[in-house]
Structures are given as structure tokens and as C-alpha cells.
Amino acid sequence: MGTTRMDRRLFLKAAGATAGAATTLQVGCLSYFKKGRSAAADNREVPTTCELCPNKCSAIAVVEKGVVKKLNPNPENPKSRDMLCARGNAAIKQVYDPDRLKQPMIRVGARGEGKWKAVSWDEAFDFAAKKLAEVKAKHGPEGTLWSSTEGFQEVFFKNLGLAFGSPNLVRHPTLCLASVNLAYSATFGTVPSFDLLNSKFVIMSGANRFESIITPDTMDLIGGVMERKAKLVYLDPRFTVTAAKADEWYPIKPGTDLAFILAMIHVIIKENRHSKDFVAAYTTGFDQLAEHVKPYTPEWAEKETEIPAKDIVRIAREFSDAAPRALYYAGRRSSWYQNDFQMRRAQAILNAIVGNWDQVGGMVPNAKLPKGEFLFMPWDEPKAPRVDEIDKHFPLAAKGDGVYLKLRENVLSGKPYPVKAWMVYKQDPMNAMPDQAKTLKMIEGMDFIGVIDVQMSDMAWYADVVFPESTYLERTDPVEVMAGIWPAVVYRQQVVKPIHDTKPNLEIVQGLARRLGLADYFDYTIEQWVEAEFKELPIPLAAEHMKKHGVWAASGQPSYGKTLTPDHRFVTKTGKIELFSERLQEAGADPLPVYSAPVPPPSDRFRLILGRVGYFTHANQTNNVWLNEHMKENDLWINPKPAERLGIRSGSIVQVTSSVGTVKLKARVTEEIRPDCVFMLHGFGKKSKMQSLVYNVGASDAVLLETAWDKVSGNAAFHETFVKVANA
Amino acid sequence: MAMKKRRYALVIDSRKCINCKACAVACKAENEVPIGNFRNWINEEHQGEYPKLRIDFEPEQCHHCEHPSCVRVCPTGASWQRKDGVVLVAEDDCIGCRYCMIACPYDARYFHEESGTVHKCTFCTHRIDGGVLPACVETCPSKVRVFGDLEDPASRIHELLSTRRHHVKEPQTGNGPQLYYLV
């Protein structure tokens, strides 16, 4: 059988055999077009980069008579290799979705009423520019808010906001992983990658890697757990797919993960199991840490977490024995409690004291690659301070990303100043932000809302004008560097011409800029931008290579240990890995992670916990017909014990009520959750009728969630809401 | 030139399956499977009481049997088997009687409303004949499926089946299924 590529198992085996068991497993740069694989005469195969999540997996689009028929994984990508998840495969339906936005539209009815008028691009641009200019005249440029989420063309949208003069750009991290990023930065001066491909022992707190999002990390970890016998210890109030695959699952009492980690640190230091050489050479504050964790005994942690003390001791021993090939994995699943930053800090500290830094199977600082930059005309820095008062309340947070929930509070109060126009790119704050009623109130207070998206999201549904963006398969985007253990460069090129009257984001930005007197700042084409980036890539014949392959991997051979030299300075205040952080202390935060117990739910309530399933993950995928047919609506998971008490049966409709909202959805009575929690999936119960498969189907978690955030990072705390559940 | 004898089969390591649906969506695109129909799917089994729980996933599709009952019952010869073991439906000969759907022990076939014929997994013959893996095998993030030629002693599936315990589903039917599940 002439299969074109080696099966990964075989490949790993071969790599292991040549390199020897003690060294790293390698990833290879396999080729898509080997023997046998050729396109039929009227087919084209175009390499590109998936956009359905931020992982930048490489894909090859098969185009037949101008129609995208199939997306195949492109094995030349050293991270995604020969995989493409359900979403990646279903991207085709994003292009051919009958619900997608097909031309610019201006609202004619009341906001949210769903009455639209199809307009020309000129009309849409003129209308938006006039409204933005009006707000600027009345409130200054800072009276405008610019929200966006991760995307290769996000840069153009942000630049328009800045060129317009607004300091108020707000990005997704504080609804996602800002607490992780900040905690690792505060400790190591950088956010590392986790070498799951080579790790022997992995602990995860709710980072539900086998279920909630399928990425290269998922692939590396499942291979590790199932093939190389890496051990996985998993903490989650719910029995997830990751729990099912783990060697050990602990249904930890929600919000107590920090106690578990502090007790692990306690055991490791008490039993002298930390890496003394590493701690001495590269860290600062160990003595303070040792003193700090003395009260955090396994017996104490057992009471907090409901994980037996003897297991905590054993896990701490096994973890330190496996180090440096041991990881407390941060993952994406972050920002669930108000102590989230400190919980992530404790993970970082635990990882540091066993010395699994910059080594095979440990945490590895990301290798980067240079790329060229297109030099555009610079603008003056916005003069006004940010409306979210990030400097005052979250001095350590990333200024450019802003802090979503605090921003909403301030916009609603009108202080420190009014914000009256809201431009949104690719983001759906209606579902991404907790407390939808508050978001609606913020929407009501706006004089103008403009949304750029490929589909009529709930946010777009409440906009005044909607600009339809071309899908990723219909456009060419800037070049992206994938920093990591195996750094690579990826390129997204147009696969088919736009099938509707849509435009790539850059052209939408340019249309607005022209009418706002900002045309000079955006005086370039995507081709010129990309050419400039190609120029400084360390790739021979870069443009040619990227167009032909879509990806370039620096080397199949990762490099470890670059920071493990006596003169290396970490990007921290002391130049060391900071176990104790003076910088945190100066910012008014605990310099070492201090535990505070979560408030338990009252006896008549449950803690609402959330999650994602990998074939949607993000709320913007539930209306994709190829994904939706695998789950048509979400339901409320409830343990049989409380369900019996409340007379709730599987399939019956329940009413779920928090202090900020009420929803109705079907119940799922299941053993796979703690009795003190209920669970629901993200991304259903849409308000937009142009999300026809999920309009009013199931319920949106955003309706129920209360406003709460992590104190240090400002990250939304998604698991701090208690709900009442009753038969409807 | 004498053709080398081939016998295509699939070895499935269910423990590695995380029910991510990549296989099902890849197949949907590759073979233009209508909404609501599937040529491959994942069985789920949930067991136990909190907190002693277990979930098992098991990918399934046409077993490309050695003695396929679907082929035996087909009145027109539309259901047929290639020399390499792949079981197919010749659309031009299919009259849509659906006997084969009833005869299949695995419920692996569906009626295609538009064409009025029965459809099923083809092992992506259009890909494998050109030396490319079936779409579900290629895309799988955790590499649950291993596709290959049982007649090739150097193949990965040959190696797996000679070194790992495995079973087939519904062996009592005498169909001789060629999906091998590792234990």
C-alpha cells in the first residue's frame, strides 16, 4: 500500500529508534505532495492556514470548478502536522453557509428587531463614517470603542482605531487567558510553550484538552498518554473526555486548585525534592517561598479540595521524580475564579522549583523567527487615558488588550468619560462577555455600533451597520510567525474569489479610513504588506516557498536550553525566575500566592460551571451545519442526587436562574458531574435569527453569568455564579 | 504484469479516540455525505456512578467484510466487492431496494434521497488508489485509525495485528469483518 506519508506512530517510533530513548522525540517535516498524490486535471490544491481557531494549523484546500471541496491537513506544519480537527474540516461550510452575511446592511427597525436594508459599500461606509465623526465631534476620539479578537487581519482594525485617535482598543484575552499570560510573565518574564510531545507527567486543572478544543497540544498529549505512557492527572468538577482518558481524575471542589498546588509545593520543599541546582542558579525568592508554604500541608489541602492528602503527597513525589519531564499544564481553560492569577502563578512556581524549564518535556520559552514589516505612515499616540482605567486598577495587565469587564462597568457609568460609538471586528461580546443584560444595556447606550464579521453574530444583530467580511478561504492575509518549540511561518492565501459582495477586513478598514480622512495611513495593498513581510523571512525564495507550501518550518529539530546559561537574564525585575515577586508586591498584589477559600453555594443553589466541546469551542461555530449536526442544542448537566430531590428528569425543561438572568433548557441527569455544580455548554441560545440553527435553541451561558473578575489580571471569572434550578 | 494481491483493512485503537468528530466531518466533505447521514460515526458508552466513572468511544463505519451479507442479498449485483476487499455500491445498478441496509450487521449504509440509491463508506477508493490515505484516517488528530494492506507483511496494520490483542465486532454473523479493534 503506497500511503503517501508515514503514520505518526511509525514515524515517532523511527525517530525514537535513531535518536535514542533519552533524547527528544522529533517532529518531521513531511511533504504533502509525495508520490501518488496529484490533483485531478480540473482541480487546484492551494495551501493555506486555518482560521477557525487561533492555532494556525496548515491546510490544503482542494478546489474543483471554483468550489472548495475539501480541506486536507498539510503535514509540513511542525505543530499541526497531519491533523485537521472537525472545525478545520467544516470551514468549507463557512463559505457556503446560506446564513452568512452577503452584502453590507444598515439597520432600519429598532436595535435587535432584525429589520435590515441591503446597501452598497459606499452607503455603508458613508453612514458609518458620518456617525463616527459625529461622536468624535461631541466626545472626542476617545468616545469610540474598538473591540476585536485574534485574527491575521486584526492588525488593520486596531490600526484604524488608533489612527482615529482612540485609546480604547479592547481584545479578547481578558475573556480568555490573560491570567495565564500574566502569571507566567510575572514569573519567567515570558509565556512558555509546554512540551507535551515529550513530557512524562502532566497535571491539568480543568484544561480540558481532549474535549474542549482540539489543537496540536491535544495531539501531542493523547500520543503521550496512550503511546508513550505519560501519566496524566486531571482535576475537574466534571467527568470530561480528558478525565476519561486520564490516569487519575479528581472531582476537585471548585475553586480550590490553588490549595492543591500549594500543598504540592509544600511536599516537594519539605521532602527536599526540588531541583537545588536549578533553584540556586536561576530563581530568586526560594527561602520566602519555603516559609510561605509551610502552613499549606496536604492535610489542610485535603479539607479544601476534597483530594485525599496521601494522593497529594504521592502526586507531588511522582511529579518531582518525573521532572524535568513534568508539567503542570496551563492551557487555555483559564479565568474561572477571582484568584485565577494567583492559581496560575502557583503552577508556574511549582514548575520552576522542579527545574522543568527549557528542557525536553518541560516548559520551553518560545523560539521566534524574524519577519519583515510594512512601513506605514505613523499616527500620533491617542491623547486620552483608557476608559477602563487599566493603569489604576490593573497596572500589570497588557495595556494594548484592555480589560473587558471593567471597561463595560465604566462605559455604563459614563465615567471617566462617555463612550458612544462601538466598532467590533470578529468578536461577539454578546456571548463572550458574562451578564448579557449588561452588555445589552451598554449597546442601548451607544449612538452608533458597526460590526465587521463573516456572519450575523448576536453582536451584529444589535448593530446599526454590518460589514460582511470575506471568509478566510476567500482572502489573503498577513504572514504569521508561529513562535514555539518548533517555530514556523504560516501564510494564508486566497483559495477562491469571494462568492458574495464581501471584502477582506483591510479593504473595509480602507473604505472607512478614506471617509474619515485617514486614507494616508492605509495606503497599501495586502500584496504590498505581505511582500514586505516575506522580505525578511529567513527562507530562501520566501515568497515562492510560502505560496507553494503555505508553511515553513525552521527545523524539525527543536532547540532546548538556550536560556540555561549563567549570564542569561530573564525579562523580570531581578533577571531571575521570580518565585517571590517584588513587582507584584509594588503593584499591590500578593508577591507569593496566598490562598483564600471560595464561598460555597447556598444549599438551594448550584455553582454554574462552563465548558466547550471541540467541534464548536467558540460560540461562532454552532451555526455551522456540519458541526451542528453533532450537537443541536446544549443542556444543563445535573447530578442524579440533586435531580431526584428537585424532581428533575433527563429531557425535561428546567428553568435556571442567577442574580442577573434566567434561561430555560433541557436537563441532562448525569453521574458525570459533582452534586454541587451544574454545567452548560457555551455557544447556544442565540438572539440572531440569521444563526438559524441555534436561534433560540438551548440557552446562552452569558445570560446567567454574573460580573466578576480576577483581581490582578482583570480576567473575567466565569465560575463565580450560583444558580437555582427548577422544573419549568 | 501480475498484480500483487491486496487486502485493505482498518485497525482501530479506540482508547485514543476522543470523540472529536474530525473523522465524521472529513468524510462528510470528502464524500459529499448529506446532512443527517454518516458513513462513519463514534459509539459512546458511559458507565459507573459518581465518582467511579468510565467513558468508552468506538469509531465505526463499514467493516468491508470478507463475506459481506450486503453483497449476498443485493438482487442486482449493485453491491459488490473489489479484489482488494473494498465493498462498494455501483450506483447505476442500484435500484434502492435497501435489502443491503437490512442485511448489514453494522447499520453502515444509508439511503441517499437525491440519487435514490444506497451509499456507504468506500474506504475512499478515489484516494487510496492514488496512494493517499482515506480522509478519516488522514485527518484524525489522535491517529486512532491505521489503514493498510493485510497482505503486506511490512505494513503497520500487519505489525499491529501480529503483536496486539484485538477483536472484531459481530463475528458470529460469519461476515468476516475487516475492522480490527485493538484491546
Side-chain angles (χ1 to χ4, degrees):
Chain A
M1 168 64 202
T3 49
T4 49
R5 275 155 285 137
M6 258 191 280
D7 160 330
R8 198 169 93 84
R9 286 181 66 123
L10 245 188
F11 182 75
L12 289 171
K13 204 177 139 216
T18 49
T23 54
T24 170
L25 294 161
Q26 297 170 26
V27 292
C29 297
L30 305 170
S31 173
Y32 180 78
F33 295 103
K34 268 196 173 168
K35 61 179 178 193
R37 186 165 208 148
S38 61
D42 55 349
N43 284 8
R44 285 187 305 125
E45 300 206 30
V46 187
T48 186
T49 305
C50 184
E51 193 202 34
L52 283 264
C53 88
N55 275 285
K56 309 179 182 73
C57 297
S58 291
I60 309 250
V62 181
V63 184
E64 210 178 291
K65 295 183 186 122
V67 177
V68 189
K69 294 301 243 190
K70 183 75 198 336
L71 291 159
N72 290 321
N74 181 353
E76 291 186 36
N77 185 314
K79 270 305 273 182
S80 63
R81 306 194 285 277
D82 49 357
M83 81 108 162
L84 206 55
C85 76
R87 287 194 294 168
N89 275 286
I92 294 169
K93 280 291 162 191
Q94 198 178 52
V95 183
Y96 305 106
D97 179 2
D99 275 347
R100 73 176 276 201
L101 293 166
K102 302 180 185 84
Q103 69 276 305
M105 295 203 283
I106 289 177
R107 174 173 68 82
V108 288
R111 269 201 189 127
E113 198 187 355
K115 289 191 179 151
W116 300 94
K117 177 176 72 168
V119 298
S120 69
W121 280 97
D122 277 337
E123 276 176 90
F125 287 142
D126 288 343
F127 174 71
K130 182 169 157 272
K131 291 286 185 183
L132 285 168
E134 279 170 17
V135 170
K136 188 177 186 175
K138 213 163 155 192
H139 305 285
E142 64 272 25
T144 63
L145 171 62
W146 303 73
S147 297
S148 59
T149 192
E150 196 278 343
F152 291 11
Q153 293 219 13
E154 187 189 12
V155 58
F156 305 128
F157 178 84
K158 289 196 299 181
N159 286 355
L160 181 62
L162 291 168
F164 189 76
S166 176
N168 295 316
L169 272 57
V170 64
R171 303 187 60 250
H172 79 289
T174 54
L175 301 173
C176 186
L177 43 53
S179 57
V180 170
N181 289 348
L182 198 55
Y184 280 82
S185 297
T187 312
F188 300 102
T190 185
V191 183
S193 283
F194 291 77
D195 189 9
L196 292 169
L197 189 62
N198 297 296
S199 194
K200 281 188 189 159
F201 196 105
V202 180
I203 307 177
M204 284 185 176
S205 281
N208 185 10
R209 224 44 216 258
F210 294 157
E211 178 175 320
S212 61
I213 186 167
I214 310 299
T215 73
D217 272 7
T218 311
M219 189 168 76
D220 291 352
L221 186 67
I222 190 91
V225 172
M226 295 301 172
E227 291 170 28
R228 298 188 300 283
K229 312 291 179 213
K231 185 160 183 176
L232 175 62
V233 173
Y234 184 67
L235 318 181
D236 197 313
R238 196 166 61 95
F239 191 69
T240 63
V241 175
T242 311
K245 300 289 172 187
D247 297 274
E248 296 176 25
W249 168 60
Y250 295 95
I252 186 169
K253 191 168 144 197
T256 65
D257 305 70
L258 177 54
F260 174 80
I261 302 162
L262 288 169
M264 277 188 71
I265 299 174
H266 171 100
V267 172
I268 287 168
I269 293 180
K270 190 177 157 200
E271 298 188 357
N272 229 359
R273 290 173 162 273
H274 55 285
S275 171
K276 274 133 242 134
D277 293 348
F278 184 85
V279 165
Y282 300 107
T283 74
T284 172
F286 182 79
D287 293 342
Q288 285 133 304
L289 174 70
E291 196 56 37
H292 177 74
V293 297
K294 272 189 183 154
Y296 297 130
T297 63
E299 293 70 28
W300 163 82
E302 175 176 333
K303 289 198 194 87
E304 291 298 323
T305 60
E306 299 176 9
I307 299 174
K310 65 172 180 14
D311 289 323
I312 299 174
V313 172
R314 181 180 47 77
I315 291 166
R317 289 175 182 163
E318 289 177 12
F319 183 78
S320 52
D321 284 348
R325 291 194 180 210
L327 288 171
Y328 207 114
Y329 181 76
R332 280 185 169 71
R333 194 185 192 208
S334 60
S335 77
W336 301 111
Y337 303 99
Q338 292 173 67
N339 69 354
D340 210 87
F341 168 83
Q342 292 296 0
M343 195 270 275
R344 308 289 162 185
R345 256 281 284 170
Q347 291 177 9
I349 290 169
L350 170 64
N351 281 326
I353 62 166
V354 294
N356 61 24
W357 176 260
D358 210 357
Q359 301 203 47
V360 177
M363 297 176 303
V364 184
N366 289 322
K368 296 187 178 89
L369 295 167
K371 72 168 177 179
E373 268 181 57
F374 185 85
L375 295 179
F376 48 82
M377 198 168 97
W379 43 79
D380 295 333
E381 284 291 303
K383 289 175 192 73
R386 290 186 60 96
V387 71
D388 55 15
E389 302 174 290
I390 196 168
D391 292 319
K392 191 163 122 199
H393 299 284
F394 310 100
L396 302 172
K399 307 274 176 289
D401 294 343
V403 175
Y404 246 111
L405 291 183
K406 178 67 175 142
L407 181 141
R408 186 177 63 187
E409 296 296 305
N410 287 7
V411 170
L412 285 171
S413 71
K415 290 187 178 112
Y417 53 77
V419 169
K420 290 291 171 188
W422 194 357
M423 287 293 293
V424 184
Y425 173 58
K426 222 174 159 260
Q427 172 81 319
D428 183 8
M430 279 286 288
N431 286 293
M433 257 201 280
D435 199 345
Q436 201 177 69
K438 251 188 193 176
T439 308
L440 276 168
K441 204 173 265 177
M442 179 167 159
I443 286 170
E444 279 163 26
M446 291 290 160
D447 293 344
F448 172 71
I449 299 172
V451 172
I452 303 168
D453 208 322
V454 296
Q455 60 182 339
M456 188 68 96
S457 67
D458 281 0
M459 188 66 209
W461 191 247
Y462 285 87
D464 303 320
V465 56
V466 179
F467 301 97
E469 194 194 13
S470 303
T471 62
Y472 92 82
L473 289 163
E474 298 168 309
R475 52 169 217 257
T476 293
D477 280 0
V479 174
E480 289 271 324
V481 169
M482 283 171 76
I485 302 172
W486 298 272
V489 182
V490 294
Y491 178 49
R492 181 178 292 145
Q493 62 188 325
Q494 189 183 55
V495 172
V496 288
K497 292 213 168 71
I499 63 168
H500 300 294
D501 188 13
T502 62
K503 288 182 192 292
N505 187 42
L506 173 59
E507 289 175 28
I508 299 171
V509 162
Q510 285 170 329
L512 288 167
R514 214 171 301 132
R515 286 157 181 86
L516 293 167
L518 305 170
D520 289 348
Y521 300 113
F522 299 91
D523 185 19
Y524 48 81
T525 63
I526 190 71
E527 287 75 22
Q528 288 170 321
W529 181 280
V530 167
E531 276 310 312
E533 292 180 313
F534 281 155
K535 261 186 202 143
E536 282 169 48
L537 290 174
I539 308 173
L541 298 169
E544 207 173 300
H545 178 95
M546 294 310 290
K547 283 171 192 168
K548 196 171 158 206
H549 297 264
V551 56
W552 181 81
S555 153
Q557 193 76 336
S559 64
Y560 298 98
K562 287 216 176 84
T563 61
L564 298 178
T565 57
D567 55 347
H568 178 77
R569 259 194 82 81
F570 289 84
V571 192
T572 56
K573 193 178 169 189
T574 57
K576 300 269 189 187
I577 295 168
E578 298 191 340
L579 307 177
F580 180 96
S581 167
E582 278 178 27
R583 206 164 139 249
L584 282 174
Q585 198 168 35
E586 286 159 15
D590 291 326
L592 284 162
V594 175
Y595 182 75
S596 58
V599 179
S603 59
D604 64 336
R605 279 155 213 253
F606 300 87
R607 187 182 292 276
L608 176 64
I609 59 173
L610 310 176
R612 319 265 177 133
V613 65
Y615 35 96
F616 305 132
T617 307
H618 300 105
N620 64 355
Q621 303 300 325
T622 47
N623 199 52
N624 183 312
V625 65
W626 281 354
L627 302 174
N628 180 274
E629 67 175 334
H630 292 285
M631 186 180 293
K632 291 188 170 22
E633 64 181 291
N634 61 347
D635 49 19
L636 188 82
W637 292 33
I638 182 166
N639 182 282
K641 284 210 177 81
E644 197 186 348
R645 197 176 70 229
L646 295 165
I648 291 166
R649 281 180 309 201
S650 264
S652 61
I653 305 287
V654 288
Q655 179 163 303
V656 188
T657 310
S658 74
S659 72
V660 298
T662 298
V663 299
K664 283 181 188 166
L665 75 172
K666 278 185 191 152
R668 177 196 300 212
V669 178
T670 171
E671 299 281 351
E672 293 167 357
I673 188 166
R674 280 174 64 98
D676 55 358
C677 299
V678 290
F679 165 85
M680 66 191 282
L681 208 62
H682 181 68
F684 288 86
K686 293 286 181 71
K687 292 203 151 42
S688 164
K689 289 185 182 170
M690 284 175 71
Q691 300 267 297
S692 58
L693 301 176
V694 284
Y695 163 69
N696 210 13
V697 174
S700 172
D701 49 16
V703 174
L704 294 171
L705 292 172
E706 295 163 8
T707 302
W709 57 73
D710 168 65
K711 294 176 205 80
V712 182
S713 64
N715 212 343
F718 287 97
H719 282 182
E720 298 279 18
T721 300
F722 299 145
V723 292
K724 268 191 180 160
V725 181
N727 276 315
Chain B
M1 190 176 76
M3 287 292 283
K4 211 177 102 221
K5 194 169 185 273
R6 283 181 174 153
R7 206 328 161 179
Y8 290 128
L10 204 52
V11 173
I12 295 176
D13 191 352
S14 298
R15 294 172 320 136
K16 287 162 73 181
C17 178
I18 52 176
N19 195 23
C20 76
K21 314 290 191 197
C23 50
V25 182
C27 177
K28 185 130 291 195
E30 183 75 43
N31 298 297
E32 298 181 354
V33 180
I35 300 303
N37 293 130
F38 296 95
R39 292 187 182 189
N40 59 11
W41 62 91
I42 294 160
N43 302 316
E44 288 180 45
E45 195 182 343
H46 298 250
Q47 299 175 65
E49 271 179 44
Y50 176 87
K52 295 235 175 295
L53 298 159
R54 184 184 168 128
I55 308 176
D56 291 296
F57 300 120
E58 182 192 65
E60 198 173 357
Q61 56 172 68
C62 169
H63 288 242
H64 294 280
C65 302
E66 198 58 39
H67 311 291
S69 49
C70 54
V71 171
R72 276 203 309 278
V73 302
C74 180
T76 68
S79 276
W80 68 291
Q81 187 165 31
R82 301 204 321 186
K83 284 206 174 69
D84 56 17
V86 180
V87 176
L88 297 172
V89 179
E91 284 222 47
D92 289 350
D93 298 332
C94 178
I95 54 169
C97 72
R98 312 183 211 193
Y99 284 3
C100 56
M101 288 172 62
I102 297 161
C104 174
Y106 308 103
D107 204 12
R109 296 173 163 236
Y110 61 90
F111 185 73
H112 192 283
E113 295 292 342
E114 225 169 273
S115 67
T117 58
V118 172
H119 286 200
K120 63 177 288 296
C121 163
T122 64
F123 261 162
C124 285
T125 45
H126 58 289
R127 290 170 63 110
I128 60 173
D129 291 346
V132 180
L133 288 173
C136 59
V137 175
E138 178 178 64
T139 209
C140 177
S142 49
K143 299 293 171 248
V144 171
R145 291 166 147 86
V146 184
F147 177 81
D149 178 9
L150 287 175
E151 297 290 336
D152 176 3
S155 72
R156 179 72 180 139
I157 63 166
H158 195 278
E159 186 198 326
L160 281 170
L161 292 181
S162 50
T163 56
R164 296 274 300 271
R165 284 174 57 217
H166 54 269
H167 67 89
V168 294
K169 293 186 75 170
E170 317 291 345
Q172 76 283 1
T173 59
N175 265 25
Q178 298 298 311
L179 254 57
Y180 295 91
Y181 291 89
L182 296 181
V183 179

